[in-house]
Amino acid sequence: MKKKVLSVLLCMSLLFGMGSYGSPLHAQEEQTEEQMTQEEADSTDIVTEAQNGAHEGDNALEFGETAPIPMMDAEGNITYVTEEVSPVVEEISTFVGEGTSEKVVNFRSRKNGSVVTGLTYYTEYKTGKEEYIYGPSGADAAYLGESGGKVKFMISGTVGLVNANDVQVVNLAGTNVSYYEVYNGWIYHYISSNLNTQSSSQLKVGYAQPYMKNGDRYYSYDGHYFYRDYMTMLKDYRNENRANSINPNQPYYNYYQYLPLRSKAAYSGAELNSIINEKVKSNSKMRNLGDTIINAQNTYGVNGLIVSGIAANESAWGTSSIAQNKNNLFGLKAYDSSPGESADTFRSPAHCVEEYANEWMSKGYLEPTDWRYYGGFLGNKGSGINVKYASDPYWGEKAANIAWNLDKNAKDRDRYTIGIKDTINTSHTELNVRNGSNTSSKVVFRTKNHSNHAFIVLGEEKDFYKVQSDPVLTSARDAIDFSTGKYNFEKMFLYASKDFIQIVHKGKDSNVNPQPQPEPKPDPQPDTGAATLSSSVYNIDGSKKLISGVKKFPVKAKEFSGNIKTANSGKSMKTETGKNGNMGTGSKVFVYDAGGKVVDTYQVVIYGDTNGDGIVNALDLLRTQKDILGVKKLSGLEKTAADSSRNGKVDSLDLLKIKKQIIGAKEINQ
């Protein structure tokens, strides 16, 4: 592929998207009628946008095929290129339904083969929220089939439904899709902006993990679970799990991409000055801003290193036209129709930084009642600031890439402990965040129902994690203080239930003990060798003394025992049924020796059957929901059965699987 590198750096901006929300199936820790009275106001986003004139800073939209596209390399350098190769893949596939295998979604072309030059709107699959994406910043998405006459896809941590006419669904073979590669101890993300050419942007996303090999290529459209094989990844995505990834129980999170902005950089103003000045050109509006950025961090509680990354990404390191002419480093109010005219003007770059930290971040994107709030971290299109700030699906990664490079001396990285709510993007728990470490304490805010919500975990108390607060709090820490953007790191903390948060990164000085995660589950085997039972129909786990794999239920004891035999001669067995005379969760199989002595006891687990009656019905759905809400917790084998998704926790994904089983849409994998 040939690309022309432009000598003129252009400043381009985003026309922001309109939110439209339905009634998603979601779970909350618990909520009373009083707590539920505050409805999401996202349906009024367009009104708010019109009133505020707010810009979600981004790169260009609505330009022609030959217009420049911004690219970033692993060192954070930004160049603008024009393509000499069409982004339309010549072989245009017929739109087909789920079950088709080797396909990829091309966001650079419409179904009829015309080039996409602006935003593409889609609906988030689980929540019904309307969002948007800019194809030239990330062309490819995983093809998950068809739902309701629309193409189902996954990109940048979100699963969406897009009109079939707005994208191209093509054969995977011969295309250049995005991928990850490990080299010299680092993970690099190679992002495709044109499926007919080699990847464009190359981003540094963190340290290589123990389960990765140097030089190996991996695929992922969430950046958390990695696959060596593209088709294996698609199968997991379609089954709404990550069971066959190389790290099913250890999701990876790019530290700077998921570090909440309510954190402090390890650098002084003078040190940050030196680091930035070494990187930028002599005419850059970012020169000598280190003191200002750190002062804003300490006053308004917005991480200086991450703010520097955002500014560099948005202003091409302080050289864009609106940075030069208007001291605007963050693309604020630079509307696509007239970015030069509409963009805000500031007295100085320092004035821009202070207003950005106070008005746009502390009182805006980091404030949970604000319509733009999807978590106070960079994130991606599934969660974080990226959701509403940018149509570029990898905007958060790009700012994080710059932060990694600014921290070249490794003084700042890995200082904080990060916990994640809902590590798989098909789970959407709406979690209460409280002012105390018990369920009777006051709920200060709720996270909304996006997945992959990041917290800074400061400590633990009983069943709760102590977390850094996203919103500014009142002196009593029992409510959000809307009167100011000033933030106190020491006094502004809250609590969230451990049951809903997985520690994914332990900070250097942390005393938090991450909850143990389940080991990877092996493929079911008929007999482990240590088992005293065997079956050609059911799965026998001799080490855990469990029998699973009951696919047709209810099943009576006689039929059940007819499909099991003792593994050794001289032994016999006897079954103990559950409720209704069926074999259900908790039913037992006793193994006797020749003398009639019990030598082994197995328990049956039927995923979805939480009460042991051997069937999956609305009662099981209710019991699972109560567990999620904290109304009545399940324990033991009942909790194991409720985890029908096998992701190590009971969440909204399990509710959905049970519901599909009940209505006959899709059977739970037993």
Side-chain angles (χ1 to χ4, degrees):
M1 170 199 173
K2 295 181 180 178
K3 288 186 176 181
K4 297 178 181 178
V5 179
L6 302 186
S7 58
V8 179
L9 296 179
L10 305 176
C11 177
M12 298 173 285
S13 60
L14 162 73
L15 176 65
F16 38 135
M18 298 170 280
S20 177
Y21 291 72
S23 301
L25 173 68
H26 62 276
Q28 293 143 272
E29 176 200 356
E30 72 269 332
Q31 69 181 32
T32 64
E33 184 177 4
E34 179 183 356
Q35 292 167 351
M36 293 180 67
T37 54
Q38 182 181 344
E39 297 295 331
E40 289 185 344
D42 301 278
S43 59
T44 63
D45 284 357
I46 186 171
V47 177
T48 308
E49 291 170 1
Q51 292 172 340
N52 293 350
H55 161 65
E56 315 331 314
D58 190 45
N59 297 314
L61 72 132
E62 298 301 344
F63 53 69
E65 182 183 352
T66 59
I69 301 170
M71 304 297 173
M72 183 182 290
D73 67 17
E75 303 304 315
N77 300 310
I78 300 170
T79 56
Y80 291 80
V81 301
T82 54
E83 297 173 320
E84 292 184 338
V85 175
S86 171
V88 180
V89 177
E90 289 303 320
E91 178 270 323
I92 304 176
S93 302
T94 303
F95 177 56
V96 288
E98 191 167 5
T100 303
S101 56
E102 298 185 4
K103 300 288 182 182
V104 62
V105 180
N106 182 14
F107 271 89
R108 294 298 312 279
S109 171
R110 295 182 178 87
K111 184 180 179 181
N112 63 8
S114 61
V115 177
V116 173
T117 59
L119 293 182
T120 300
Y121 289 88
Y122 66 89
T123 302
E124 208 279 337
Y125 176 60
K126 292 287 185 178
T127 66
K129 299 172 184 175
E130 186 177 89
E131 300 297 349
Y132 45 84
I133 203 167
Y134 181 54
S137 295
D140 59 308
Y143 174 65
L144 306 185
E146 177 238 349
S147 180
K150 295 187 176 183
V151 171
K152 185 179 179 183
F153 67 90
M154 181 170 165
I155 189 174
S156 184
T158 189
V159 176
L161 298 172
V162 62
N163 288 330
N165 291 329
D166 291 344
V167 293
Q168 203 183 26
V169 178
V170 299
N171 289 324
L172 175 64
T175 62
N176 290 283
V177 296
S178 303
Y179 63 92
Y180 293 80
E181 191 170 78
V182 172
Y183 180 70
N184 284 344
W186 288 90
I187 309 170
Y188 294 92
H189 191 188
Y190 294 81
I191 300 170
S192 176
S193 63
N194 187 328
L195 296 183
N196 294 315
T197 65
Q198 297 300 312
S199 61
S200 303
S201 288
Q202 175 188 344
L203 306 180
K204 185 182 293 184
V205 296
Y207 298 131
Q209 298 300 294
Y211 45 77
M212 295 176 161
K213 292 183 180 179
N214 191 57
D216 278 7
R217 178 175 293 194
Y218 303 97
Y219 300 101
S220 177
Y221 285 99
D222 59 19
H224 308 313
Y225 298 89
F226 299 97
Y227 294 82
R228 291 187 176 89
D229 179 72
Y230 198 92
M231 280 307 302
T232 300
M233 175 185 70
L234 291 184
K235 289 178 182 177
D236 267 10
Y237 287 174
R238 289 167 183 167
N239 291 328
E240 299 186 357
N241 64 50
R242 305 293 184 269
N244 296 295
S245 65
I246 65 171
N247 58 323
N249 299 312
Q250 302 175 61
Y252 174 75
Y253 285 82
N254 179 339
Y255 179 73
Y256 285 116
Q257 189 181 358
Y258 285 88
L259 174 65
L261 269 68
R262 295 303 197 186
S263 54
K264 290 184 178 182
Y267 295 98
S268 67
E271 289 171 328
L272 189 57
N273 257 340
S274 177
I275 294 169
I276 292 175
N277 289 350
E278 184 180 341
K279 180 71 176 178
V280 300
K281 296 180 179 180
S282 58
N283 68 334
S284 170
K285 290 290 185 170
M286 287 186 67
R287 288 190 71 83
N288 301 316
L289 270 187
D291 285 310
T292 298
I293 291 172
I294 295 302
N295 286 339
Q297 166 193 278
N298 297 337
T299 303
Y300 302 111
V302 182
N303 186 292
L305 201 65
I306 297 177
V307 165
S308 299
I310 296 172
N313 184 34
E314 285 293 331
S315 69
W317 290 97
T319 63
S320 69
S321 59
I322 63 171
Q324 290 287 305
N325 299 327
K326 295 193 170 187
N327 296 316
N328 189 332
L329 296 171
F330 303 98
L332 303 175
K333 296 186 181 179
Y335 302 124
D336 69 301
S337 56
S338 56
E341 291 79 9
S342 63
D344 262 354
T345 301
F346 297 89
R347 297 189 302 272
S348 64
H351 174 218
C352 179
V353 168
E354 182 168 356
E355 184 161 321
Y356 185 74
N358 183 19
E359 299 294 337
W360 290 84
M361 290 292 110
S362 190
K363 295 165 75 173
Y365 282 91
L366 308 186
E367 197 273 282
T369 67
D370 191 286
W371 62 270
R372 297 164 295 187
Y373 178 80
Y374 281 75
F377 47 93
L378 292 171
N380 54 22
K381 291 305 288 184
S383 63
I385 298 169
N386 196 158
V387 175
K388 288 297 185 184
Y389 201 109
S391 60
D392 179 347
Y394 302 109
W395 175 89
E397 269 192 32
K398 290 175 179 176
N401 178 52
I402 293 173
W404 281 110
N405 283 283
L406 290 175
D407 186 37
K408 63 180 181 179
N409 297 322
K411 180 179 179 179
D412 184 83
R413 63 192 64 166
D414 301 332
R415 296 173 61 230
Y416 288 93
T417 294
I418 299 175
I420 300 291
K421 173 191 74 69
D422 297 333
T423 60
I424 297 181
N425 61 5
T426 51
S427 299
H428 294 82
T429 307
E430 191 170 355
L431 182 61
N432 291 327
V433 184
R434 305 172 174 279
N435 72 336
S437 57
N438 56 73
T439 56
S440 62
S441 57
K442 185 176 179 181
V443 176
V444 178
F445 76 93
R446 291 184 290 160
T447 60
K448 297 184 182 177
N449 58 0
H450 49 266
S451 59
N452 290 287
H453 183 106
F455 294 91
I456 290 177
V457 178
L458 303 172
E460 50 188 326
E461 295 182 17
K462 300 177 183 178
D463 296 329
F464 284 76
Y465 284 128
K466 179 181 178 182
V467 299
Q468 195 74 53
S469 172
D470 273 349
V472 175
L473 301 178
T474 60
S475 58
R477 286 196 311 101
D478 60 353
I480 298 173
D481 187 347
F482 298 100
S483 68
T484 179
K486 292 185 177 180
Y487 192 88
N488 188 311
F489 283 99
E490 286 69 37
K491 295 181 179 180
M492 295 182 182
F493 58 87
L494 295 168
Y495 295 86
S497 172
K498 286 183 179 180
D499 290 342
F500 297 86
I501 298 174
Q502 179 176 336
I503 301 297
V504 297
H505 186 91
K506 188 172 182 180
K508 293 177 181 177
D509 302 322
S510 173
N511 60 359
V512 174
N513 295 311
Q515 292 178 305
Q517 299 303 315
E519 292 298 318
K521 295 182 181 295
D523 292 333
Q525 299 295 324
D527 191 357
T528 64
T532 50
L533 296 177
S534 65
S535 175
S536 60
V537 176
Y538 306 129
N539 305 321
I540 310 293
D541 188 328
S543 60
K544 296 182 179 179
K545 306 301 179 187
L546 286 179
I547 304 175
S548 61
V550 180
K551 297 178 181 178
K552 294 181 180 179
F553 44 83
V555 59
K556 298 297 182 181
K558 184 177 180 180
E559 178 185 351
F560 183 84
S561 58
N563 289 310
I564 299 177
K565 62 181 180 180
T566 56
N568 305 102
S569 60
K571 290 187 171 62
S572 59
M573 66 178 184
K574 180 181 178 181
T575 58
E576 178 185 271
T577 61
K579 299 177 182 178
N580 301 337
N582 300 327
M583 297 297 292
T585 296
S587 294
K588 295 179 181 179
V589 177
F590 301 100
V591 181
Y592 298 86
D593 63 14
K597 180 181 179 181
V598 175
V599 293
D600 240 341
T601 303
Y602 288 79
Q603 285 186 290
V604 176
V605 59
I606 296 177
Y607 292 97
D609 171 28
T610 62
N611 68 341
D613 62 4
I615 55 177
V616 180
N617 56 22
L619 181 58
D620 299 303
L621 187 71
L622 179 61
R623 285 168 62 88
T624 303
Q625 185 178 45
K626 285 184 176 180
D627 178 87
I628 293 171
L629 299 177
V631 176
K632 186 176 182 180
K633 303 296 285 185
L634 298 172
S635 61
L637 210 57
E638 291 181 343
K639 195 172 187 72
T640 300
D643 180 21
S644 54
S645 63
R646 320 285 223 288
N647 64 357
K649 60 182 179 180
V650 180
D651 55 23
S652 56
L653 178 58
D654 300 308
L655 281 178
L656 183 62
K657 286 185 174 296
I658 293 172
K659 181 179 179 181
K660 286 183 176 180
Q661 173 79 49
I662 294 170
I663 64 176
K666 186 177 182 181
E667 292 184 352
I668 295 171
N669 180 20
Q670 296 292 339

